[in-house]
Amino acid sequence: MSSYDYQPFEYSVAPELSGKGTGPYPVVIIGAGPVGLSAAIDLALHGVRCVVLDDNDVVSVGSRAICWAKRTLEIFDRLGVGERMVEKGVTWKVGRLFHRDREVYSFDLLQQAGHKMPAFINLQQYHVEQYLVDRCADFPDLIDLRWKNKVTGIGQHKDAVTLQVSTPDGDYDLEAGFAVACDGARSPVRSMLGLSFEGTHFDERFLIADVEMKADFPSERWFWFEPPFHSGQSALLHKQPDNIYRIDLQLGANADAEEESKPERVVPRIKAMMGDRPFELDWVSVYSFQCARLERFVHGRIVFAGDSAHVVSPFGARGGNGGIQDIDNLCWKLAQIVRFQVPTELLETYNTERVEAADENLSNSARATSFMTPKSAMEKRFQEATLRLAGEVEFARTLVNSGRLSVPCSYAAKHQNLGVEHKLPEPACPGAPAQDAPLGDDWLLNRTGNNFCLLLIGLSMPDGEEPPDGVVILEVEASDDVRARYLGDEPQALYLLRPDQHIVARWTQYSRSCVSEAISGVLANNRENFHVTG
């Protein structure tokens, strides 16, 4: 049924089985999906060696995660696969929302020009995983990808994590400084440690169908409440590469997943939506979901990321994007610990920041589900009244919720600019991710590197002054785009960026001691440092 050519990756006998292992390894990554593979590449870019263990030997079957947001694409670009993803993916920024047979309103997600990456692309997860595997091959001395290596046990002591691994050629033990569990929503590692999710399970069932067909639909997100072709429920349509369209159909809480997955049930539903247009089913899945997370993401030397740490509904594209942003936050911190002996307490900032980000995603996801699937007559009346008003008055559109689409998390919103008077733009506040801007033939985010970066706009380093160790200096002119995003009404400014491109602090005058203090604050697990501005 699938149009994608799934080719198994080469299995190799683990060196530990012949007594040739080179452990203990700095980091072991469990799971070779988008999150685990991204972690491996990010660590390699920071010079950290890792082993990736996966119990399978092919990319994910089915499109799965398809919507990749601008911030996530910027991270992928830093990892070296962003341009390839955008070239293959379907770029979109316009969404349309319908109620029955009426278009209620449309929205544009990227109204500001001058960004390298688009607002969103649609690209099947199997393509993303293949691109990441290809990129891993660029680091043969730093990334050891082991297919058909299943983790069957895990433990830890003060200085290391120990793992038991099963392969077709036998079992072996592995030791590492840290383990990153990227093994998905049903995480075996989570179960081995006796950890459980806390949150809400939604009984509503949805059908996902990837349909191969030739159609002239624009590259937009279309969402229906109570469409005429699927009465009383909701529907979503997304265009993907290779003439594949993603269709999501709400089925109701009592739907039988096995029965609804059968072609004789799926095909009539698609025909009701698409009419007489020829199509072939490429992949089908029926699912329910929960909005839940672990209480903590860091458990000693074992760290959870992606779906192993938190799960949300698919509406809003916050799952896959959130997982990649976990890795963006985590890996530079692991590198600081492994390579520069920064205290392991730095991982507490990963726990704090990504738990907050997960809670933001969980809240948005739960609210979207509640609006999409009203459980009472009062909730249904609210939904209908909101949809009716949204076609006439703009304020009501903020109440319509078909999935609040993924946006980057600002890690220090509570600490913005406390007690500081300046006229620097609010979106470039400490804690927020740096915004891209064109720099001649290049882009700002292309030039920040993988270290701390001091961005100087409209000024240069003082003569004879050297930056603190490990800090990259990036001096840029105040073009119109740069001025709008970073200066506002100020003539000049300096921004200190973390290796994940989030803003640590900003000033209007250079002070080496302030920069050093800000970096020390970050590495000493001091989140209050985010409001060091002036």
Side-chain angles (χ1 to χ4, degrees):
M1 183 168 65
S2 175
S3 62
Y4 185 79
D5 184 18
Y6 293 93
Q7 293 293 322
F9 299 114
E10 182 179 358
Y11 163 78
S12 299
V13 178
E16 284 74 14
L17 290 171
S18 58
K20 299 178 181 178
T22 58
Y25 298 92
V27 180
V28 167
I29 297 166
I30 305 158
V35 175
L37 293 168
S38 295
I41 296 166
D42 207 353
L43 288 171
L45 289 170
H46 286 97
V48 176
R49 189 166 61 110
C50 72
V51 174
V52 183
L53 305 172
D54 195 277
D55 59 2
N56 207 341
D57 64 350
V58 294
V59 295
S60 296
V61 176
S63 62
R64 299 183 183 270
I66 66 165
C67 293
W68 305 100
K70 176 179 178 290
R71 178 58 197 149
T72 304
L73 292 171
E74 291 168 348
I75 297 168
F76 278 134
D77 201 38
R78 183 175 61 78
L79 300 181
V81 298
E83 292 181 359
R84 190 177 179 187
M85 288 177 61
V86 172
E87 181 180 1
K88 177 68 174 179
V90 173
T91 296
W92 66 276
K93 64 189 183 76
V94 172
R96 299 188 186 278
L97 189 136
F98 303 87
H99 185 211
R100 302 190 178 104
D101 58 355
R102 174 179 66 99
E103 180 175 335
V104 179
Y105 67 90
S106 64
F107 55 86
D108 189 327
L109 293 167
L110 189 62
Q111 298 176 338
Q112 187 183 61
H115 293 264
K116 180 180 180 180
M117 290 295 155
F120 271 91
I121 66 165
N122 291 341
L123 182 64
Q124 298 94 322
Q125 183 171 320
Y126 46 73
H127 286 305
V128 176
E129 290 183 10
Q130 185 63 61
Y131 298 168
L132 291 167
V133 170
D134 293 346
R135 177 63 168 147
C136 284
D138 294 336
F139 305 95
D141 297 329
L142 293 172
I143 300 176
D144 182 358
L145 272 177
R146 300 186 184 182
W147 307 104
K148 291 291 186 180
N149 279 242
K150 180 180 180 179
V151 175
T152 57
I154 190 168
Q156 61 181 313
H157 51 78
K158 180 181 178 182
D159 298 318
V161 177
T162 56
L163 303 99
Q164 292 76 54
V165 185
S166 177
T167 80
D169 288 289
D171 301 343
Y172 66 92
D173 293 334
L174 201 63
E175 186 171 278
F178 296 89
V180 183
C182 308
D183 52 343
R186 295 183 175 90
S187 171
V189 173
R190 197 174 61 231
S191 298
M192 292 172 198
L193 296 181
L195 302 173
S196 60
F197 276 157
E198 298 176 0
T200 303
H201 183 274
F202 293 90
D203 295 327
E204 202 73 24
R205 292 187 181 274
F206 292 82
L207 168 73
I208 288 180
D210 279 354
V211 174
E212 183 177 4
M213 65 180 177
K214 294 183 178 180
D216 56 358
F217 299 131
S219 300
E220 299 175 348
R221 179 187 195 260
W222 289 2
F223 190 97
W224 289 265
F225 288 98
E226 301 181 304
F229 54 81
H230 192 54
S231 180
Q233 307 285 5
S234 64
L236 177 64
L237 176 68
H238 268 293
K239 184 178 182 179
Q240 303 177 75
D242 307 321
N243 292 319
I244 303 293
Y245 286 81
R246 159 72 65 84
I247 296 170
D248 289 68
L249 297 174
Q250 180 185 351
L251 299 177
N254 298 319
D256 185 305
E258 183 176 349
E259 285 297 314
E260 293 294 347
S261 298
K262 295 178 178 178
E264 57 265 32
R265 296 287 294 174
V266 176
V267 169
R269 295 187 187 280
I270 305 303
K271 284 185 175 179
M273 183 177 186
M274 295 299 165
D276 296 330
R277 186 177 283 105
F279 67 87
E280 292 185 11
L281 291 179
D282 190 76
W283 175 66
V284 171
S285 178
V286 174
Y287 65 92
S288 59
F289 55 84
Q290 56 181 327
C291 296
R293 66 167 173 85
L294 286 172
E295 181 180 2
R296 286 183 53 82
F297 296 173
V298 177
H299 292 262
R301 290 178 172 267
I302 302 171
V303 185
F304 291 84
D307 285 351
S308 72
H310 47 78
V311 289
V312 294
S313 81
F315 301 102
R318 291 174 177 266
N321 288 286
I324 300 303
Q325 291 166 29
D326 285 348
I327 293 308
D328 187 47
N329 185 291
L330 172 64
C331 287
W332 73 268
K333 297 173 181 178
L334 280 174
Q336 289 285 332
I337 295 168
V338 169
R339 294 193 61 201
F340 304 111
Q341 290 73 55
V342 170
T344 58
E345 284 76 18
L346 179 60
L347 289 180
E348 278 304 304
T349 63
Y350 169 76
N351 185 76
T352 302
E353 291 171 358
R354 293 314 296 169
V355 163
E356 287 183 5
D359 284 344
E360 182 179 303
N361 287 332
L362 289 167
S363 176
N364 278 286
S365 184
R367 286 199 295 267
T369 304
S370 296
F371 187 86
M372 290 166 55
T373 60
K375 299 298 187 293
S376 67
M378 180 63 72
E379 289 180 350
K380 182 62 178 176
R381 284 196 294 271
F382 175 77
Q383 182 200 68
E384 291 181 345
T386 301
L387 291 169
R388 185 172 59 253
L389 278 172
E392 302 170 2
V393 290
E394 190 165 345
F395 86 88
R397 297 173 188 176
T398 63
L399 304 176
V400 175
N401 199 332
S402 63
R404 298 281 187 255
L405 292 165
S406 175
V407 295
C409 178
S410 178
Y411 295 136
K414 294 179 293 188
H415 307 306
Q416 294 173 10
N417 309 327
L418 300 183
V420 178
E421 294 185 5
H422 55 56
K423 300 177 181 178
L424 297 175
E426 190 66 20
C429 64
Q435 299 181 76
D436 206 2
L439 299 179
D441 295 332
D442 203 354
W443 297 91
L444 191 151
L445 293 183
N446 280 358
R447 296 174 57 185
T448 61
N450 292 300
N451 299 303
F452 283 94
C453 175
L454 187 61
L455 173 63
L456 293 89
I457 306 167
L459 75 165
S460 300
M461 288 286 291
D463 291 341
E465 186 76 53
E466 292 293 329
D469 291 342
V471 177
V472 173
I473 298 298
L474 176 58
E475 297 180 2
V476 304
E477 296 180 0
S479 66
D480 289 344
D481 287 318
V482 171
R483 179 175 297 281
R485 289 162 205 179
Y486 287 98
L487 292 184
D489 294 330
E490 294 286 352
Q492 61 186 37
L494 304 87
Y495 286 80
L496 178 64
L497 311 182
R498 301 193 315 192
D500 60 2
Q501 300 174 332
H502 279 257
I503 298 168
V504 176
R506 57 186 186 177
W507 305 271
T508 54
Q509 298 290 334
Y510 175 75
S511 166
R512 191 179 195 279
S513 62
C514 286
V515 175
S516 297
E517 180 184 348
I519 294 173
S520 297
V522 170
L523 298 181
N525 184 16
N526 177 11
R527 293 184 76 235
E528 294 299 317
N529 174 73
F530 273 124
H531 74 257
V532 177
T533 57

